[in-house]
Structures are given as structure tokens and as C-alpha cells.
Amino acid sequence: MSGTTAFRRRYGASPLHLLLVLASFALAAYAGVRLLKGDTLGVALWFVGAALLHDLVLLPLYAVTDRAVQRLFARGAEAGEGPARPSVNYVRVPLFVSGLLLLVWWPLILRRVDTYTAATGLPADGFLGRWLLITAALLVGSAVVLLVRSRHGSAPRRRAARRERRARKAAR
């Protein structure tokens, strides 16, 4: 047994994978040290607060919302239209992208930055409207893709049902 095979059997992946994992840990440690150098207590409180907000408020909120959307899209599958399709992803993906944009730009969207105009020379208004437009465009685009795919996917079923009706008429 060669050294690489023994390493792979013990570690489970290639040496390159281990090197990349160690490099990512080193980068995270460097960022953590730099981050905690300024306001250690404030950063620690922010992390604890973010974890509590996520686990106690946001996780139950989006879990219940996801279940509701799944049930909404599962109604068609229960009616005998075939197996459940991943239609819920047409709601999940645009809302995830919208939430990610909100997470990144929330100070500007909620107008919580007073020094933005002084620092950049750009107006700070309009971010809420643009974010809402982007969210609406993402949802509309996703709905169009869902409609096109469901229409395209239902065409073979309609043809098969038509053939079955013709076969029944011919058999009479």
C-alpha cells in the first residue's frame, strides 16, 4: 500500500483537500485575531446576539414559512398529478437572494448610515425602493420560469392523455 493510499484511507480525501482546509482555518484565525483586536467585547456581543437572533427568531420564522410554501405546492401532487416537483425552490431561491441582499445592504436600505453621502459623495436614498424592485423582479422572473417549465412539462402529459382517449374511442 502506497503512502498516498494510506493517507487517503485514514483522512478520507486527498492531501490537496487537507492543505486547502488548513489554509482556510489559518485565514479564519487571522481574520478573527484582526477582528477582535479593536472592540473585543462589542464583537463578542454581536456574535452572541446574532446567534440568538438567528436561532430563536429567524430560524423558526423561515422554517414555518418554508413549510407553508411546501404545503402550498404539494396540493397539486396530492391531487394525482404525479410526483411532487421541487416547485418550492421557485420561491426559495429568489427570497434567499433577496434576503442576502438585505443582509449585505441593510444599513443603507433601512437608512441607518449617516456618513454614507459624506464618504462617497453619492445620495443614500433610494436603496429601499431598489431592493424592493430587485425582489419583485426576482420573484416575477422565477414565476415566469416556473410557468414556462410547468407548461412545457405538462405538454407530454396532455399528449399522452389525448392518445389514451383516442385509443379508448377506437376500442369501442
Side-chain angles (χ1 to χ4, degrees), residues 147-158:
L147 288 174
V148 167
R149 286 196 173 174
S150 66
R151 186 83 171 129
H152 184 329
S154 66
R157 277 186 262 142
R158 284 196 311 263

Side-chain angles (χ1 to χ4, degrees), residues 73-137:
F73 280 105
R75 286 186 186 157
E78 291 171 1
E81 294 179 5
R85 294 176 302 199
S87 301
V88 71
N89 290 334
Y90 290 96
V91 176
R92 281 180 183 160
V93 171
L95 290 182
F96 173 76
V97 173
S98 176
L100 194 60
L101 289 172
L102 179 63
L103 181 68
V104 170
W105 297 102
W106 71 269
L108 291 169
I109 291 171
L110 300 178
R111 297 185 180 119
R112 300 278 189 212
V113 179
D114 299 329
T115 60
Y116 180 77
T117 304
T120 63
L122 299 172
D125 58 341
F127 281 93
L128 176 63
R130 288 185 210 134
W131 175 72
L132 290 172
L133 282 173
I134 289 170
T135 301

Side-chain angles (χ1 to χ4, degrees), residues 34-54:
R34 294 287 307 243
L35 183 65
L36 292 174
K37 201 175 230 182
D39 181 19
T40 306
L41 182 63
V43 171
L45 285 175
W46 186 86
F47 273 114
V48 169
L52 289 174
L53 176 70
H54 177 266

